Amino acid sequence: MKLAISTRGQDVNAPVDLHFGRTRFFRIVDFETGAETLLNNARAANAPQGAGIQTAQTLARLGVQAVLTGGVGPNAWRILQAARIQVFSVRGGSVGQALQSFREGLLRPLTEKQVTYF
Amino acid sequence: MNLVIASGKGGTGKTTVATSLAVTLARHGQTVAYVDCDVETPNGHLFLKPMVTRERPVEKLVPRVNQETCLLCGLCAAVCRFNAIACLPDQTLVYEELCHGCGGCTRVCPVGAITEAPHPVGVVKVGAAGAIQFVSGTLNVGESTSPPVIRATRQAAPAADWTILDAPPGTACPMMEAVRGSDYVVLVTEPTPFGLHDLRLALEVVKTFDLPCGVVVNRAQPGATEARDLCRQARVRILAEIPDAVAIAKEYSRGQLVVETVPGLREIFDQLCLRLLEEVPKEKCPHEMRQRLEAAIRASSQSPATGPPAAGDPFSTPRLAAPRQREEPTRAASAS
Amino acid sequence: MSDAAFICELVVMSGKGGTGKTSVTASLAVLAGSAVLADCDVDASNLPLVLDPREQRRETFTGGVRARIRREDCTACGQCKALCRFDAIFFDGPGHGRLPHTYRVDSAACEGCGVCHDVCPEHAIDLEPTEGGEWFVSETRFGPLLHARLRPGHGNSGRLVTLVRDQARQVAEAAGRRLILVDGPPGIGCPVIASLTGATRVLAVTEPTPSGEHDLERLLALARHFSIPAWVCVNKHDLNADMTLQIERRAAALGATVTERIPYDPAVTAAQRRGRPVVDVDHGPAAAAIRKLWERVRPFLADPPGPQLDTGRPAG
């Protein structure tokens, strides 16, 4: 399974970016292989509009199955739903801490009612 | 004669000036079309209380993807510079609100899986308020781009001696869309720091269009000279000053046309008309029309009946009798 | 890892312009004391005029792309004009050795869709980034202020608004400030949508006039569209008592919460003339009402709106 975490920096100690669509990077963790890669999201982040849509599309095409981020807007949500990608809401902290919480099962997937504009 | 009433700052009295000017010109026998281009928050109908006879939707073309034939190649999503299409591993999604209707996706689809269908973005209402031809555009709530609705509203305006365009506030694309291609710009301001700051910005925009313009100072205070100083520096003429009076604010708050109900305003708007005749480009204003208006204003100023109109005023009667138009019943009105 | 990171973003809006939105925002900035301030009326920014800002940082804003035809490579085939949906291409560009006229792009009408760029058989059309304006980070007595200036007559104000709000959020996160006060633009279109997207709460300042009521209704419809809880404050309420009641009833029916009224008070304009927020210099009726307004809304700003408001926001 592939997991993506929105982040402002390039290493695991960097803070989680609470914005989904306009995050600078995603750290992508592949649980099968243990590989961790960095996805540069600059193109979507600088888009005049629809940043969330472009970001969600990129993750869907990469085969990501779960995202850790602050929250997502309804436009991105529509894609994430269609691609069956679960979203886990994080309220701050570093990428490493978020990953730890996820592994320990402390995070809950967002539901339709919780989708917000970010 | 296309006259745009604009302002950098909202709430300076643009609609008050536009509607009052329309009424004044019509009272003096000119044919007038009032065109409300403030499509995000159109207000002219609240004061002119028109009978709407026709209502036409404004649409933009948005893509429809045939999921059966779509190859999921992603070319459409890649070409869309507005991110209005997303291509997923098993389907292609369209975001109609983000689409600008450029048609780029339809063009690049290798299998013709994309067709275009109309998507409503607003509505244009056409009618009459007494002798005034009335046109008003409304942007649908949730839609973000007003210029197409403004364009459609302007196109719906009937020919008249005076076409008065009530512009959206600000200096961004909606305001420009209303100002573009007009013959003369009237900027309405108020003599406050906010008002004058925004007047400076609006003057810059008008300058980029190289259009002649003049200023109406609303809520003018005796002794406050900042507006005059600014206009002198910018070499723009002050066409009229409307005093800061609680009576005007109160009449406005009751939905009244202040030129008809507040004593003294008729004269101010008559003077404004005469000033405009001096200012507007000669070639846009036929000599005969000019003479007719001057004569009518002169005649009315000599008649004793100045100030608020009497109950039997032929001009105010049909308007008072007309039902106040709300958003919903206009469909019904359009059927009649 | 819960509410510690919650930052409330209160957007002050009006629908109709000139209702006193900026005067109210400036006064709330004084009363809040430790907020981050953002002026999202990017085409006519007025909040800086009453907050005496000292500019700390200035950046240019690139406002998307516009097409430009390199006339020396144009063969006047006309495909660009045939496909442009925005009437932005004209056959009146300057000629060159082989042609009397070339095609030209009216950059004010161009929306940057790139169709012409993609179809031009000569690859003679460039998409160039346009300088859309500037944005600023300033320091004021009442907190950091983010503001911007759209180049007059330039489009894409929605994106500049998004940028100002993103920067405000970053400043708030960095400084540990938990309230962002946003002075919103008038209307209900692109910049307003950009100001509301993702905001926590809306304070709609209106006036007791038919336009005030009409525009408020459209604004509240938009707030509902975005599921953002809204407060309504009638400014200059004593101009028309009946209309004030009518507006408040209508607002309540539309799901908004009616809050403090503000009376008409010449002290508001007088303070503006002195370049100061009214509560900073005056203790008259309007200033008193704004203080009461602040006391009424303040308790709600510490936490995300609850589920009873159906905001759809995670409850922490």
Side-chain angles (χ1 to χ4, degrees):
Chain A
M1 169 180 137
K2 275 192 194 169
L3 174 80
I5 307 157
S6 57
T7 172
R8 279 187 239 148
Q10 313 210 5
D11 61 76
V12 286
N13 298 319
V16 171
D17 195 327
L18 300 180
H19 296 254
F20 172 74
R22 296 197 185 271
T23 184
R24 187 73 178 72
F25 302 104
F26 279 98
R27 188 164 198 89
I28 299 187
V29 182
D30 189 328
F31 283 93
E32 267 99 76
T33 63
E36 296 199 6
T37 50
L38 199 70
L39 172 74
N40 187 333
N41 195 47
R43 187 163 165 253
N46 293 323
Q49 59 174 33
I53 293 169
Q54 208 182 83
T55 304
Q57 176 187 256
T58 307
L59 297 184
R61 295 190 82 124
L62 278 175
V64 164
Q65 285 143 294
V67 184
L68 309 191
T69 187
V72 300
N75 284 346
W77 177 256
R78 204 173 129 202
I79 294 178
L80 297 170
Q81 281 289 94
R84 290 172 290 280
I85 299 176
Q86 286 196 307
V87 183
F88 295 86
S89 178
V90 179
R91 280 283 173 204
S94 70
V95 168
Q97 287 167 337
L99 205 50
Q100 188 61 30
S101 306
F102 179 74
R103 284 185 209 273
E104 289 171 10
L106 297 176
L107 302 178
R108 286 244 167 114
L110 282 187
T111 60
E112 176 86 50
K113 267 206 92 65
Q114 294 171 306
V115 171
T116 171
Y117 285 78
F118 243 81
Chain B
M1 179 71 231
N2 271 311
L3 204 65
V4 174
I5 319 292
S7 72
K9 176 172 158 33
T12 54
K14 210 166 29 63
T15 299
T16 302
V17 170
T19 52
S20 294
L21 190 58
V23 167
T24 303
L25 288 164
R27 187 161 41 92
H28 293 309
Q30 305 276 301
T31 60
V32 179
Y34 167 86
V35 183
D36 199 341
C37 293
D38 187 0
V39 302
E40 291 182 39
T41 50
N43 287 150
H45 64 284
L46 299 171
F47 302 93
L48 290 171
K49 303 177 178 71
M51 283 295 280
V52 172
T53 49
R54 231 165 3 102
E55 196 176 313
R56 194 168 55 80
V58 182
E59 293 163 339
K60 68 178 176 191
L61 289 175
V62 298
R64 290 258 188 289
V65 180
N66 182 342
Q67 304 288 351
E68 304 293 304
T69 52
C70 173
L71 300 176
L72 302 166
C73 69
L75 278 175
C76 52
V79 83
C80 180
R81 288 174 171 90
F82 309 107
N83 288 325
I85 303 191
C87 182
L88 307 184
D90 61 348
Q91 61 182 311
T92 298
L93 296 175
V94 177
Y95 290 84
E96 295 174 342
E97 317 80 44
L98 298 185
C99 175
H100 286 224
C102 72
C105 51
T106 319
R107 212 183 52 77
V108 298
C109 180
V111 291
I114 304 181
T115 50
E116 289 183 273
H119 171 81
V121 290
V123 68
V124 175
K125 293 170 190 165
V126 179
I132 300 169
Q133 300 289 314
F134 176 89
V135 183
S136 173
T138 308
L139 180 73
N140 287 353
V141 171
E143 290 293 330
S144 66
T145 48
S146 50
V149 184
I150 297 172
R151 270 196 290 275
T153 308
R154 289 188 64 157
Q155 281 161 9
D161 293 340
W162 299 81
T163 301
I164 296 178
L165 296 139
D166 196 343
T171 59
C173 33
M175 183 261 197
M176 296 187 61
E177 190 64 49
V179 170
R180 176 178 303 141
S182 63
D183 302 319
Y184 189 85
V185 184
V186 175
L187 292 172
V188 183
T189 189
E190 55 177 33
T192 61
F194 293 174
L196 298 175
H197 171 262
D198 299 349
L199 172 61
R200 270 189 212 104
L201 299 177
L203 283 167
E204 275 185 56
V205 176
V206 175
K207 208 161 51 178
T208 64
F209 282 107
D210 201 20
L211 288 173
C213 81
V215 169
V216 170
V217 182
N218 192 17
R219 304 190 192 103
Q221 308 240 3
T225 60
E226 302 97 318
R228 283 180 208 166
D229 297 343
L230 171 60
C231 290
R232 198 177 310 117
Q233 278 166 19
R235 293 162 193 265
V236 191
R237 188 166 178 194
I238 293 185
L239 303 169
E241 294 192 359
I242 300 168
D244 186 19
V246 176
I248 297 178
K250 287 207 162 146
E251 286 301 295
Y252 174 84
S253 83
R254 291 174 48 226
Q256 298 295 317
L257 273 164
V258 293
V259 71
E260 294 190 334
T261 58
V262 179
L265 284 193
R266 268 195 180 183
E267 291 72 16
I268 289 176
F269 276 91
D270 282 352
Q271 285 303 314
L272 173 59
C273 292
L274 293 174
R275 288 267 168 87
L276 281 170
L277 284 182
E278 296 167 18
E279 291 277 307
V280 296
K282 298 267 179 291
E283 66 278 12
K284 303 285 184 183
C285 186
H287 185 64
E288 173 276 332
M289 177 178 134
R290 188 180 293 267
Q291 280 192 321
R292 199 153 38 84
L293 178 55
E294 278 171 357
I297 293 174
R298 225 177 294 119
S300 79
S301 68
Q302 281 157 6
S303 78
T306 50
D313 185 293
F315 201 76
S316 60
T317 316
R319 228 191 336 279
L320 288 172
R324 189 170 151 186
Q325 293 293 314
R326 308 291 311 186
E327 289 296 290
E328 296 81 14
T330 41
R331 275 260 172 241
S334 66
S336 67
Chain C
M1 231 213 262
S2 61
D3 283 354
F6 174 71
I7 295 173
C8 176
E9 196 175 0
L10 175 64
V11 187
V12 185
M13 289 280 192
S14 64
K16 175 178 167 20
T19 60
K21 180 171 56 61
T22 302
S23 295
V24 170
T25 312
S27 285
L28 294 182
V30 176
L31 298 168
S34 64
V36 171
L37 315 167
D39 190 345
C40 286
D41 192 353
V42 295
D43 58 325
S45 167
N46 284 337
L47 195 55
L49 299 179
V50 285
L51 294 180
D52 188 23
R54 290 171 304 282
E55 188 184 310
Q56 311 271 304
R57 183 173 158 209
R58 174 191 286 242
E59 303 278 345
T60 54
F61 161 71
T62 319
V65 296
R66 294 287 174 269
R68 198 183 64 87
I69 299 174
R70 291 191 313 277
R71 80 178 158 125
E72 62 277 15
D73 296 326
C74 175
T75 58
C77 71
Q79 291 194 42
C80 51
K81 182 170 173 59
L83 286 169
C84 177
R85 297 270 176 90
F86 309 104
D87 297 328
I89 299 182
F90 295 86
F91 191 40
D92 61 357
H96 50 66
R98 303 176 302 281
L99 291 167
H101 290 292
T102 54
Y103 283 91
R104 172 187 69 86
V105 177
D106 174 2
S107 62
C110 175
E111 299 197 10
C113 73
V115 165
C116 57
H117 164 87
D118 298 341
V119 298
C120 178
E122 306 298 326
H123 304 293
I125 306 182
D126 298 320
L127 294 180
E128 299 183 328
T130 54
E131 193 205 304
E134 290 180 305
W135 58 274
F136 314 87
V137 186
S138 296
E139 206 40 64
T140 75
R141 278 166 58 213
F142 316 106
L145 168 67
L146 280 291
H147 50 121
R149 190 180 170 202
L150 191 72
R151 217 174 79 191
H154 201 280
N156 230 331
S157 51
R159 197 171 147 240
L160 185 52
V161 166
T162 305
L163 195 154
V164 166
R165 287 184 54 211
D166 280 351
Q167 292 296 328
R169 188 165 275 274
Q170 284 182 23
V171 168
E173 282 171 4
R177 294 187 180 230
R178 296 185 52 182
L179 175 64
I180 301 172
L181 271 175
V182 178
D183 188 8
I188 63 158
C190 151
V192 174
I193 287 173
S195 303
L196 282 179
T197 306
T200 321
R201 289 176 182 276
V202 171
L203 171 62
V205 178
T206 186
E207 58 177 31
T209 64
S211 331
E213 180 189 26
H214 177 260
D215 299 352
L216 176 71
E217 284 184 18
R218 282 172 65 77
L219 176 66
L220 292 180
L222 194 66
R224 277 187 78 82
H225 179 89
F226 283 107
S227 309
I228 303 175
W231 281 302
V232 169
C233 160
V234 181
N235 190 14
K236 304 174 203 167
H237 72 86
D238 43 353
L239 273 183
N240 189 331
D242 294 342
M243 183 60 98
T244 297
L245 264 177
Q246 185 179 321
I247 289 178
E248 290 180 343
R249 283 202 199 103
R250 191 81 192 106
L254 290 168
T257 306
V258 174
T259 181
E260 207 59 37
R261 297 170 179 175
I262 303 172
Y264 173 76
D265 184 350
V268 177
T269 307
Q272 191 194 112
R273 289 215 160 84
R274 291 176 58 186
R276 303 277 290 276
V278 65
V279 298
D280 199 33
V281 291
D282 191 79
H283 290 273
I290 296 174
R291 284 198 176 85
K292 273 198 220 158
L293 168 68
W294 170 245
E295 288 310 320
R296 277 180 71 171
V297 303
R298 182 162 72 158
F300 297 93
L301 303 179
D303 297 302
Q308 73 279 6
L309 287 159
D310 192 26
T311 60
R313 183 172 272 273

